Amino acid sequence: MLGRIPVYVQILAAAVAGIGVGLIAGPSIQPIGQLGSLLLQAIKMLAGPLIFVAILDAVLRTQLTWKSARRFGVFLALNATASVLIALFVATVFRPGDWMKGLGAGGMQNPAGVDPSVAFQASALSLEKILKNLLPASLIEPLASNSITGIAIVALLLGLALRGAAQIPEAQAGVSVIADIAHALLKATEKGMSWIIRWVPLAVFAVLAL
């Protein structure tokens, strides 16, 4: 019966119930909030592997012609351009981060005695630092640190390398086995994520009941 109700309806109902229970029960309901934290931790646990095997499976199994690859490249370029323009618009119009300068001007400092605006400027990212963060030091590091960008880059590079190795006759059988394993892992990870998503309404209830 519950499975027939759309997930968004379940989440809305859980949110309303969580707020109501929180107002009635007060601080005594606080321990139930750990359920939401555990669910978020489980999602984070599977998110990285899911992205990795999804990209790897797509690169290994998708048959791309030069024409379709060119269209895909144009789509990515347009998407990236739109993202940059939106980011520049938001940064120019809304100027996020200016409030930190206000903290510094008002004399508010952190416990260490450092002006927040100065600390923010000192931690500003440079192009060199961004490029270093994009390229992980090892294949395992992105999965260990749950770096989504690093995971995507490693999966893409590995997939392209395996596609290239598939052109070598003696490596074709091995690449085929890896492709089958990646596809099986993708289906297994998707199934595990679907089990976790079923409990999202309960997590919403638990978090809002705090």
Side-chain angles (χ1 to χ4, degrees), residues 162-185:
L162 288 171
R163 282 193 73 126
Q167 307 301 320
I168 304 173
E170 58 267 26
Q172 289 179 353
V175 173
S176 178
V177 171
I178 294 176
D180 291 339
I181 293 175
H183 189 68
L185 288 175

Side-chain angles (χ1 to χ4, degrees), residues 27-118:
S28 62
I29 200 70
Q30 187 172 0
I32 199 174
Q34 297 300 323
L35 292 175
S37 300
L38 290 175
L39 184 74
L40 290 176
Q41 190 69 22
I43 292 176
K44 289 174 61 178
M45 176 185 68
L46 287 182
L50 178 60
I51 293 173
F52 180 84
V53 294
I55 295 176
L56 185 60
D57 179 72
V59 174
L60 290 177
R61 301 177 72 89
T62 303
Q63 298 298 325
L64 286 177
T65 62
W66 168 246
K67 185 177 181 180
S68 60
R70 185 173 55 190
R71 290 179 178 176
F72 183 65
V74 172
F75 172 77
L76 287 180
L78 291 175
N79 189 36
T81 302
S83 301
V84 171
L85 291 177
I86 292 173
L88 290 175
F89 173 79
V90 172
T92 303
V93 175
F94 298 101
R95 304 185 66 83
D98 276 359
W99 61 274
M100 298 192 70
K101 296 180 181 179
L103 289 178
M108 295 180 63
Q109 294 183 339
N110 60 24
V114 180
D115 189 330
S117 61
V118 175

Side-chain angles (χ1 to χ4, degrees), residues 136-155:
S138 67
L139 295 177
I140 306 299
E141 179 186 351
L143 286 171
S145 60
N146 209 22
S147 171
I148 301 302
T149 303
I151 290 172
I153 291 176
V154 169

Side-chain angles (χ1 to χ4, degrees), residues 11-37 200-210:
I11 292 176
L12 289 176
V16 173
I19 294 175
V21 171
L23 292 175
I24 295 173
S28 62
I29 200 70
Q30 187 172 0
I32 199 174
Q34 297 300 323
L35 292 175
S37 300
V200 166
L202 179 60
V204 172
F205 169 83
V207 171
L208 293 181
L210 290 178

Side-chain angles (χ1 to χ4, degrees), residues 119-145:
F120 177 76
Q121 293 174 1
S123 62
L125 290 176
S126 63
L127 179 60
E128 180 183 0
K129 186 180 296 185
I130 293 175
L131 293 177
K132 285 183 178 180
N133 290 335
L134 287 177
L135 295 176
S138 67
L139 295 177
I140 306 299
E141 179 186 351
L143 286 171
S145 60

